[in-house]
Amino acid sequence: MLVVMKAQATEEQVRAVCQKIESLGYRAHPIPGAQRTAIGITGNRGEVNPSALDELPGVAEVIQVSKAYKLVSRETKPDNTVVRFANSDATIGGRELCVVAGPCAIENPEQAFAAAERVAKAGARFFRGGAYKPRTSPYAFQGLGVEALKIMAEIRETYGLLIVTEAVDHESLDEVAKWADVIQIGARNMQNFSLLKHAGHAKKPVLLKRGMSATLEELLMAAEYVMSEGNYNVILCERGVRTFADHTRNTLDLSVIPAVQRLSHLPILVDPSHGTGKRNKVIPLSRAGVAVGADGLMVEVHPDPDRALSDGMQSLYPDQFDELMNEIRQIAPVVRRTVAEAPARVNAAKMRSAAGESAATL
Ligand code: PEP
Ligand code: MN
């Protein structure tokens, strides 16, 4: 159910409607829009009786949202969601493509800084690196945990990159929310409902990756779990699904991008690294991801992929990442997007000293 307020409704009237909704035992989600404010109603006690809200001052209409997902739906919020950050002008879902790049896992300060320096110089505005790694084998590298989060916080200081990193359980999510800028929920946890609800209480945006066998509706319902708890900054990510194809690690489902954009206002990124599992396919699928209209890319880049502790086969060499950025800079205008220029904002002296000092200080 959705309460649409009149364009001239006052803040006080919006507040009064929210209070009424909460007094009926539901949750109210005010959603400011370009034209008017709407108030989403969620809860699991059955439908609200519209007559309880219809006549309240400032209410234009009370409508039924036809989809199972409510807050995620474009019916509820027609305008695209643009995720913003307190200390940066980078956005996700705006005109500028969001490029998240970095190694699969943070292995040590030297490796992390070497990757960060190159991705920052190439124009990425977000740095990724796993601190908590969900690995198929218990004997595979599991990540450095908080130590990795501290390394990435230094990277943010040095290069002005925003940090994206995965949480795998409640405890790691609390740590990630403290140190990073975006909390990633990985494919294997897309339907970990307890983790999704916990992320809904976090004060940082959530990057939600599609499960490897998840339908579009299941992905959107997972996002609904986060939003229903009050965290409206959710970014989706297509990272490939399991099919019978065996020439790639997963099958990157690019057709899901326009399908999501039709149904939802949430931004969506493409991850061609996990989506293909093969370095030689990452640039072509990145081009395709931008061309299909994704809001950005998440790409694995490693200074020495052949010695990476995880996902080396799909990690780009830094020179290849330069090439990727050059290519998407040319495609972006066709889909009315921009790509950040290689920054003057990276302070060269600071960078040099960071690269030299990182081993000693971290
Ligand atoms: C990752 O981004 O490093 C990762 C583990 O991705 P996914 O959850 O898509 O497998
Ligand atoms: Mn990886």
Side-chain angles (χ1 to χ4, degrees):
M1 206 78 102
L2 184 71
V3 179
V4 180
M5 300 299 289
K6 292 178 180 157
Q8 67 276 21
T10 64
E11 268 179 42
E12 210 163 301
Q13 289 171 334
V14 171
R15 228 181 352 258
V17 174
C18 290
Q19 272 163 10
K20 178 72 185 174
I21 292 166
E22 306 259 341
S23 77
L24 295 169
Y26 299 89
R27 184 159 182 160
H29 304 267
I31 305 155
Q35 313 295 335
R36 46 40 169 193
T37 292
I39 304 167
I41 305 174
T42 60
N44 41 24
R45 302 163 167 248
E47 288 301 332
V48 197
N49 179 0
S51 62
L53 303 165
D54 244 349
E55 301 299 326
L56 294 177
V59 172
E61 57 176 335
V62 181
I63 55 178
Q64 193 75 39
V65 179
S66 62
K67 300 286 194 298
Y69 38 87
K70 311 290 179 194
L71 303 171
V72 159
S73 168
R74 266 205 200 277
E75 285 180 63
T76 301
K77 180 174 180 282
D79 310 325
N80 286 343
T81 287
V82 179
V83 176
R84 297 177 194 281
F85 298 87
N87 299 313
S88 168
D89 62 348
T91 53
I92 309 178
R95 220 172 121 73
E96 185 177 285
L97 285 172
C98 158
V99 180
V100 186
C104 181
I106 300 297
E107 299 168 9
N108 55 60
E110 295 74 22
Q111 168 252 16
F113 271 78
E117 173 147 345
R118 291 298 302 267
V119 304
K121 276 189 174 161
R125 311 202 54 187
F126 295 81
F127 182 72
R128 62 149 291 148
Y132 303 93
K133 296 303 303 174
R135 303 302 300 278
T136 303
S137 163
Y139 309 119
F141 180 57
Q142 305 284 313
L144 299 179
V146 177
E147 192 188 336
L149 298 177
K150 291 182 181 168
I151 293 169
M152 287 188 280
E154 291 252 352
I155 282 174
R156 175 180 43 226
E157 279 302 302
T158 308
Y159 300 102
L161 292 162
L162 294 167
I163 305 301
V164 182
T165 190
E166 179 167 356
V168 292
D169 52 25
H170 286 225
E171 208 182 339
S172 57
L173 194 140
D174 293 340
E175 290 294 343
V176 167
K178 197 157 82 193
W179 292 93
D181 300 289
V182 178
I183 305 162
Q184 177 174 323
I185 300 217
R188 290 156 191 80
N189 275 312
M190 192 207 81
Q191 284 192 319
N192 180 339
F193 300 119
S194 149
L195 188 62
L196 294 172
K197 285 192 206 170
H198 196 57
H201 293 281
K203 300 285 174 264
K204 298 278 171 73
V206 173
L207 174 70
L208 179 63
K209 299 190 84 174
R210 181 181 182 181
M212 44 191 110
S213 64
T215 63
L216 168 53
E217 175 147 321
E218 286 165 342
L219 172 63
L220 295 177
M221 290 305 282
E224 185 79 15
Y225 261 93
V226 179
M227 295 182 76
S228 68
E229 298 295 332
N231 188 346
Y232 306 119
N233 286 315
V234 179
I235 306 121
L236 306 173
C237 182
E238 163 58 30
R239 47 79 73 206
V241 289
R242 286 245 166 114
T243 67
F244 52 82
D246 57 4
H247 62 287
T248 48
R249 182 178 178 185
N250 291 292
T251 297
L252 193 64
D253 177 15
L254 291 178
S255 69
V256 86
I257 306 299
V260 162
Q261 289 169 336
R262 203 182 155 120
L263 297 171
S264 176
H265 52 86
L266 294 176
I268 181 160
L269 308 184
V270 167
D271 170 355
S273 305
H274 295 87
T276 64
K278 305 229 167 115
R279 186 180 305 133
N280 65 16
K281 297 185 174 54
V282 171
I283 292 181
L285 271 301
S286 297
R287 293 195 296 256
V290 172
V292 83
D295 295 288
L297 301 171
M298 175 182 253
V299 183
E300 288 184 340
V301 181
H302 194 290
D304 189 0
D306 304 321
R307 270 195 274 263
L309 294 183
S310 65
D311 285 350
M313 300 268 282
Q314 66 192 34
S315 299
L316 293 183
Y317 289 93
D319 285 351
Q320 292 180 302
F321 184 66
D322 289 342
E323 185 184 330
L324 183 157
M325 292 299 279
N326 287 337
E327 294 189 5
I328 65 167
R329 272 197 188 94
Q330 296 172 63
I331 297 170
V334 180
V335 285
R336 293 176 296 282
R337 299 281 191 160
T338 59
V339 177
E341 282 310 314
R345 75 182 160 285
V346 177
N347 177 326
K350 211 171 158 191
M351 277 184 2
R352 268 195 306 279
S353 80
E357 285 166 17
S358 59
T361 55
L362 291 165

